[in-house]
Amino acid sequence: MAEYVYPAIFHPNEDGSFTITYPDLPGCISEGKSLGNAMYMAQSALTQWMEYLLDKKQAIPSPSSLKCLETAPEEFVNLIRAEIKDGRAVKRTVSIPKWMDDKVIESGLSLSRVLQDALKERLNIG
């Protein structure tokens, strides 16, 4: 799992919403209806942006130092963190009893999907 932390500039709007921009990621912009929602949207935007860059094998820019950022009086800067999980499939050898494999085939289940769902539940991950 890769972790990225970038400064985001939060600009409050007249209606109480926030516009979020990333100085180091031109074009990465989001909005939130409230501060809490804006924080969530900022993380979501950063995660999607980084996944796109990685998927397209583009260079990952270095994040700016907080000291180098200039903001308008009503704006503020907050660090936003994104964790990128490697979603590529890997092959693993798994052993199950023959009778269980027969039941899986009979039922038309995908053994890979069942295993993924069970592991997500067991590891408490969504």
Side-chain angles (χ1 to χ4, degrees):
M1 185 171 349
E3 179 182 88
Y4 299 93
V5 178
Y6 280 83
I9 297 176
F10 287 74
H11 174 81
N13 300 312
E14 289 182 17
D15 64 356
S17 66
F18 292 85
T19 300
I20 307 117
T21 59
Y22 288 89
D24 305 305
L25 306 170
C28 185
I29 301 169
S30 192
E31 290 190 54
K33 294 180 182 180
S34 65
L35 181 56
N37 180 248
M39 297 296 285
Y40 173 81
M41 296 302 289
Q43 185 177 36
S44 178
L46 178 59
T47 299
Q48 290 177 33
W49 197 268
M50 299 313 289
E51 286 174 342
Y52 175 82
L53 292 177
L54 292 167
D55 184 54
K56 298 298 180 186
K57 298 184 181 5
Q58 294 185 9
I60 305 292
S62 297
S64 295
S65 166
L66 293 177
K67 297 174 188 173
C68 298
L69 298 176
E70 293 183 21
T71 59
E74 71 278 2
E75 295 176 330
F76 67 92
V77 177
N78 199 53
L79 292 174
I80 303 296
R81 178 176 165 263
E83 284 184 355
I84 309 300
K85 297 177 183 172
D86 187 346
R88 294 178 293 177
V90 294
K91 290 202 174 256
R92 298 287 300 250
T93 301
V94 178
S95 299
I96 60 172
K98 169 85 170 93
W99 67 265
M100 196 177 284
D101 187 51
D102 293 341
K103 288 287 188 186
V104 167
I105 293 168
E106 252 178 53
S107 66
L109 289 173
S110 162
L111 191 55
S112 292
R113 173 56 54 205
V114 171
L115 178 58
Q116 288 176 43
D117 292 345
L119 286 170
K120 286 179 183 177
E121 183 177 327
R122 182 70 177 254
L123 298 171
N124 292 321
I125 54 178

